[in-house]
Structures are given as C-alpha cells and as structure tokens.
Amino acid sequence: MVEHSGLDIMCLNKYSPASSSSSSSNAEKKLFSKLKVSLTKKYPQKNAETLSAQYGTNLLLIGVSVMLALAQHGPAVKKEHLLAFITALMLVQLVWMLCYMIRRERERSAVPERDAHAGTSWIRGGLTMLALLSLIMDAFRIGYFVGYHSCVSAVLGVYPIVHALHTISQVHFLWFHIKDVIKKYETFESRFGVIHAVFTNLLLWCNGVMSEAEHFLNNYRRRLTALGYANLSTGVCVCPDCNCTTSVCSMFSTSLYYLYPFNIEYHIFVSAMLFVMWKNIGRTLDLHSNHKRPSTRSPCLLLGPLLGLLVLASSVTVLVVYLIHVEKSSQAAVSMFYCYGVVMLSCMCVASGAGLLVYRVEDWPMDMGSNPSRTLDTELLLGSSLGSWLMSWCSVVAVAAAGRSSPSFRWTCLAYSLLLVLEKCVQNLFIVESLYRRSRDPDDVPVPEIFSVTPAPVVPPYDGIVNRAYETQDKLCTTLGGETPEDRAAFSRKQTDVTLPVGNRLNVTPGRKRQILKNITIFLFMCNISLWILPAFGCRPQYDSGLELETFGYSIWTTVLNLAFPMNLFYRMHSVASLFEVFRKV
C-alpha cells in the first residue's frame, strides 16, 4: 500500500503544474540558446557575397545618378557635389585598408593563403606606372585650383589631395595584399571593405570617362556648328568666373585631357584586381593548380616584334597626320584612317587565325579548374567587346541606308566595321583558348625509354641465384649475354633517336610551334597597344565622318559613342594584359 501511494505521488509530481512550467521554461531556454547560436554563428558565405554585391551596386548607381544630373548642367547639382561624394568614399576606403593592414601585421605569425594567379608582378608594375601618371594628373589639378582658388569651391582642391593619397595607399595595398585569400572576417568586414574599394574605383573610372566624353562632345559640337548643323552648340563652359593668378592655368587644363586615358585605365585595372580578391574571400585553394609554372627560355623572336614595332610606328604617324588634317579636310583624314584600319585588322585576323590553327594540331587537354582571375579575364574580354560591336553594326546600317550623296569613304567604313567585328571574335577565341590550355608540367611528360648497350661482362660460373636487377639498379636497362649483333644495332639506333630533357627546361610546344605562337602573341600585343593609342589621344573618325549622324541623329549617335568608346579602350588595354599572360604561358 505504501509503495502504491509512493508511486502515485511520483506520478502526481511528474504531471503537476509546477513540473509543467519548469519543463516549458527549459524548452524556452533551449529555443533561445538555439536562436542565439544561429544568429551568432558564421554567416552563410553566399548570402554575404550577395549582400556585399548589392551594397556595391547601389553605391555605383548613386554616383551614376549624380553624374547624370550633373551632365544636364543644371543649377541643383554641381561638380563639387559629385567630388565631395567620391572624396568621402575614398576616405572610407583608406580607413578600411589601414585597418586591414594593421590586422595583417598583428597576425604575422599565421601564414595566410595566397593565390598565385592574382596580381602578377608585371601587372602590379604596369599599375604602378599608371598610378604615377595619375599622380601627375593630381598635381595639375592642384595647380589649376591654386590658379582659381578665389572663385572655385574648396572641394576642387581637397579632391586631388585625397585622390593622390588614395592612389599611393592603394598601390601599396595591391603590391603586398592582392594575393591574400581571406579566411577570417569574410562575412561582413572584409567582403564589404573589398567591394567598397571595387565600386569606389568604378565610380572614379566613370567620372573620368564622363569628363573625357564631355571634352570630346564640346569639340564635336563646335565642329558640327562650323559645318552648318544648327542647334547643336549646347555645351556649357565650365570655366571659372575669375582670372587665373598664374600663367600656366591653360597648360594645366589642356594637359588633363591627355592624362585622362591613363587615369581611366588605372582605375578599371584596380577594380578588376580587387574584384578577384573579393571572389577569393573564403575560397579553398587547389594546391595542385595554385603554383607558378617554372619559367622557360623563349625561342628566337624576330618577325613578331619587328612587325609589331612597324605597326606601332605607323599608328603614331597616322595619329599625328589625322590630328593635323582633320580640321582642314575631315573626309581625307577619315578615309586615311579607315584604309589603315582595314589593313591592320586584316593582319590581326590572319595572325589570330594562325594561332588557332596551331592549337588545332595540338593534343593538350583544356584546364577547367577553378581560377577567378582567368574567369574574370574571359568575361571582361567578351563583355567589353559589346561596345565596339554596337558601334560597328550602327556604321554598317548607316552605310546601307546612305544614298548616292554619301561620302566616298563609306565602303572602306563598311569593310572596317565588319573586320572589327571579325577581329574581336577571332582574337577572343585565341586568347581564351591560350588561357585555358593546360601547361605541361614535368610530371605530365612521359619519360622516354633509354636503352644502353654494353658488352656482357665475363663472370665466373655460379650455381646460385643472381639478382641482376639489384646489382645494376643505377642503370636504366642492361643487356643480357645472349643478345645478337642485330638486336644491339637496333637498340643503338633507338637510343640515338631519343632527346633527353635537361633540368626543367621543357618546351611547352615543340620547337617551331612554340616560336610561331610567341611571335603571333607579341604581334597582337603591339597591335592592341596601337589600337588603344589612336582613340585615346583623339583619333576618333566616328565623330568626324558625319555618315552615322545622318542616319541616327545627334542624340542617339552621341549616346552610342559615349557607351562604345570607353568599353573599346578598356577592351584594348585588357587584351594587352591578357596577351602578355599568354606570352608568358606559351
């Protein structure tokens, strides 16, 4: 009876209200602890990437919105408003880079993972040269501000100082930290810091592009007005309302437009490098593919460099002649440019096609491993081709719609436009296939069989078992005493036909093929430099021909040109970088 009552008491205690409340409180505690763990644990990497990408995109759209309002020359938005916004973004990036470098110094004991393919030494060297030219541009801006300091906003003086400090700090950061594969703080601080730096440089690139485009459009309006087109002189002079206190203000303002191309290329290259760093955050590296291939000795290079230097010298000559004669006889200058362009693009198509033909006879497999730098190179090549393709097809439509009174160079313009589309298609194929070809490592090359013929040694008879493989283990092969003279002669002929590799000096392509690829790459390298120089320094026949203007009108055609020319300039400079990488890889 007592036992039953005890059991009943235990059962009552188990299901009593007090016991129920304590169990519910325990359940709530478990729920809160679980919620706390889920909120404080490592944030999903893909969500962090998406959040930071949305932040950077909206940052860019804010800046572009201000630039579009500024392009209307209204009283509400002025130049100093845009510069103040960009200056604030640069200061935020400076603070983040300083914090990142301090943290890296404190964690020096832990060796960070580094991506061997991100930011090679020659790319960093090229960026340093562009940064030096950007610093010269900042010095000219400071000199311009000093001349007009009494009637312009102080922001025009603060901006070049902050930009110079930003350039120096950013180059230092890229030299020493661009290869870092960030594992810690990858969710918010590092992801948002890197993406903020990416889109800050993109805004600086957009600002340079729009300033340069405004300069060309003002010249375009004046030229069209001189040719008799009405209602096109809508450009607004942004000159200060006071006199310059120095005698070199005009020199400063004129020199800025010759330095804009270098400043534009600097910021777009920095954006691309920082984007690779952003993609590397939280990445697990493949140790087999994350190594530099040993350098190989280049074969004899003669034809490619000679033809490339000839193209470069010819392009500089065409640029000078074009700028001198375009004001006097625009049709003759435009016709000369198109004829030269047809010849150059034809040679580039033949060179790229020959390179693809060489690859067709090779049996190397393609390397499809994860490589953010290579993936970005491919996407940028294809994406930046859209601008010039759009411009080319607009020219084709304009030629087809032109009547008998159209200028005489319309057929060369048609050939130039079609060849420009074809040249970029074939060159993109050549560059992408070269970048995705798998390099031949020493471990991948089969070792040839070596046959050594030596007279059979005379040994005393021995009744036991002789392990000849052990006795001659330092030799690749030995012959037995029962060989015939015919067998020995055959083995000797086979031995003389074998070429032994020496050290790590392995030909990536056999002999002549590798030499052909090297010459093709250096020729295309020089051609793309030439095709960057021509439009960057004022040789833009699409502004001067008037053929497309008659078909599309002023507003549509200038919009196409403002979109196409920056993308075309970036394509040529990015092709130069990619071709140099191909040259090192071949």
Side-chain angles (χ1 to χ4, degrees):
M1 187 70 181
V2 177
E3 289 183 2
H4 287 294
S5 63
L7 290 173
D8 291 339
I9 292 172
M10 292 176 63
C11 293
L12 288 174
N13 288 337
K14 183 177 180 181
Y15 296 100
S16 63
S19 175
S20 176
S21 62
S22 62
S23 62
S24 63
S25 63
N26 291 333
E28 290 178 356
K29 289 180 180 179
K30 290 181 180 179
L31 177 63
F32 281 119
S33 61
K34 192 174 182 180
L35 182 63
K36 181 180 179 181
V37 170
S38 63
L39 291 176
T40 56
K41 70 178 181 179
K42 177 182 174 182
Y43 203 72
Q45 181 175 337
K46 199 62 182 179
N47 285 6
E49 184 176 331
T50 304
L51 279 173
S52 59
Q54 292 178 112
Y55 163 75
T57 303
N58 283 281
L59 197 68
L60 177 65
L61 292 178
I62 293 172
V64 171
S65 301
V66 177
M67 292 178 190
L68 293 176
L70 179 64
Q72 297 301 318
H73 302 285
V77 179
K78 297 181 180 179
K79 185 73 173 178
E80 47 265 30
H81 297 152
L82 174 63
L83 296 182
F85 176 67
I86 298 178
T87 301
L89 296 181
M90 288 191 292
L91 290 174
V92 172
Q93 183 185 343
L94 283 172
V95 172
W96 175 79
M97 288 191 298
L98 181 62
C99 295
Y100 179 87
M101 289 186 286
I102 291 175
R103 185 185 302 119
R104 279 296 181 189
E105 287 295 325
R106 290 179 178 177
E107 298 176 353
R108 182 175 290 182
S109 57
V111 179
E113 293 187 33
R114 296 176 68 82
D115 184 3
H117 303 287
T120 56
S121 57
W122 70 268
I123 289 181
R124 289 178 291 173
L127 281 175
T128 304
M129 183 190 68
L130 293 174
L132 290 175
L133 293 171
S134 297
L135 290 176
I136 296 174
M137 188 176 181
D138 291 328
F140 286 171
R141 282 174 172 161
I142 294 173
Y144 182 82
F145 170 76
V146 170
Y148 290 105
H149 68 278
S150 59
C151 57
V152 295
S153 173
V155 178
L156 297 178
V158 174
Y159 171 77
I161 296 175
V162 175
H163 185 269
L165 181 62
H166 176 265
T167 301
I168 295 172
S169 303
Q170 190 165 242
V171 169
H172 179 272
F173 179 82
L174 292 174
W175 264 97
F176 297 101
H177 298 285
I178 192 59
K179 293 179 179 289
D180 292 354
V181 177
I182 303 172
K183 294 294 185 181
K184 299 174 64 176
Y185 313 102
E186 67 265 19
T187 303
F188 287 101
E189 184 178 346
S190 294
R191 281 199 178 276
F192 279 81
V194 176
I195 206 67
H196 178 90
V198 170
F199 283 95
T200 298
N201 281 276
L202 281 178
L203 273 177
L204 289 166
W205 174 74
C206 291
N207 182 39
V209 166
M210 294 194 70
S211 299
E212 188 188 32
E214 184 67 24
H215 171 70
F216 276 99
L217 282 177
N218 287 333
N219 294 335
Y220 189 37
R221 294 187 187 103
R222 288 195 297 267
R223 198 168 297 161
L224 291 177
T225 303
L227 293 175
Y229 292 91
N231 300 324
L232 292 178
S233 297
T234 57
V236 177
C237 180
V238 293
C239 300
D241 296 330
C242 59
N243 294 325
C244 181
T245 57
T246 63
S247 59
V248 290
C249 286
S250 59
M251 187 269 290
F252 286 152
S253 60
T254 304
S255 301
L256 286 176
Y257 295 104
Y258 292 100
L259 293 173
Y260 264 121
F262 303 104
N263 180 257
I264 289 170
E265 296 301 329
Y266 163 74
H267 285 296
I268 197 66
F269 263 91
V270 170
S271 300
M273 294 177 69
L274 289 170
F275 182 79
V276 173
M277 185 179 183
W278 179 71
K279 293 294 289 184
N280 275 332
I281 294 177
R283 177 188 169 204
T284 301
L285 295 178
D286 184 3
L287 298 180
H288 177 70
S289 61
N290 188 40
H291 68 277
K292 291 186 178 180
R293 186 180 60 85
S295 59
T296 58
R297 185 178 179 181
S298 297
C300 179
L301 299 177
L302 181 61
L303 186 60
L306 283 179
L307 292 177
L309 290 174
L310 178 62
V311 168
L312 185 60
S314 302
S315 299
V316 174
T317 304
V318 168
L319 174 63
V320 173
V321 174
Y322 183 91
L323 294 178
I324 292 175
H325 292 283
V326 70
E327 298 290 344
K328 301 176 183 178
S329 178
S330 60
Q331 288 198 6
V334 171
S335 180
M336 175 199 65
F337 175 85
Y338 282 140
C339 291
Y340 175 71
V342 166
V343 175
M344 180 188 292
L345 293 175
S346 301
C347 295
M348 294 177 69
C349 288
V350 172
S352 300
L356 288 173
L357 185 61
V358 171
Y359 280 130
R360 293 283 75 81
V361 299
E362 291 295 326
D363 58 349
W364 304 343
M366 303 294 284
D367 182 10
M368 305 305 295
S370 176
N371 189 335
S373 300
R374 186 176 57 191
T375 303
L376 181 63
D377 286 339
T378 304
E379 293 173 352
L380 290 178
L381 278 175
L382 299 179
S384 57
S385 301
L386 298 177
S388 59
W389 284 343
L390 174 62
M391 185 172 60
S392 297
W393 288 117
C394 287
S395 298
V396 171
V397 171
V399 171
R404 295 182 178 180
S405 60
S406 59
S408 58
F409 56 78
R410 64 184 184 276
W411 301 117
T412 53
C413 175
L414 176 64
Y416 175 83
S417 301
L418 294 176
L419 280 171
L420 188 61
V421 175
L422 179 62
E423 179 268 330
K424 288 195 173 182
C425 289
V426 182
Q427 182 174 264
N428 288 344
L429 285 174
F430 174 72
I431 293 176
V432 170
E433 183 158 354
S434 300
L435 292 176
Y436 275 85
R437 284 282 179 169
R438 182 177 298 171
S439 301
R440 278 187 176 175
D441 295 328
D443 298 335
D444 300 333
V445 180
V447 179
E449 294 182 347
I450 309 299
F451 294 90
S452 176
V453 181
T454 57
V458 179
V459 295
Y462 183 67
D463 296 334
I465 298 175
V466 179
N467 189 348
R468 292 185 180 275
Y470 179 79
E471 292 179 353
T472 58
Q473 60 181 347
D474 56 332
K475 299 179 182 180
L476 293 175
C477 184
T478 59
T479 60
L480 299 177
E483 289 180 335
T484 62
E486 290 79 10
D487 295 335
R488 296 182 183 179
F491 290 159
S492 299
R493 286 193 302 269
K494 190 168 185 177
Q495 181 188 7
T496 56
D497 293 338
V498 176
T499 302
L500 295 179
V502 181
N504 287 330
R505 288 168 51 186
L506 295 175
N507 287 330
V508 178
T509 59
R512 182 66 64 179
K513 296 176 185 177
R514 179 168 175 245
Q515 185 176 356
I516 292 173
L517 288 175
K518 286 277 189 180
N519 281 280
I520 288 174
T521 304
I522 198 65
F523 172 72
L524 293 175
F525 178 87
M526 302 296 286
C527 287
N528 279 277
I529 290 179
S530 301
L531 290 176
W532 178 82
I533 289 175
L534 288 171
F537 292 97
C539 191
R540 302 184 179 186
Q542 292 82 5
Y543 280 108
D544 304 311
S545 65
L547 182 63
E548 296 85 358
L549 184 66
E550 296 291 340
T551 304
F552 298 99
Y554 176 78
S555 59
I556 294 179
W557 184 235
T558 53
T559 302
V560 171
L561 293 180
N562 289 338
L563 175 67
F565 271 114
M567 296 178 70
N568 184 47
L569 290 175
F570 173 70
Y571 172 84
R572 293 301 173 188
M573 188 55 68
H574 188 65
S575 297
V576 168
S578 300
L579 285 166
F580 191 82
E581 195 66 29
V582 171
F583 181 81
R584 294 174 66 248
K585 186 177 181 180
V586 171

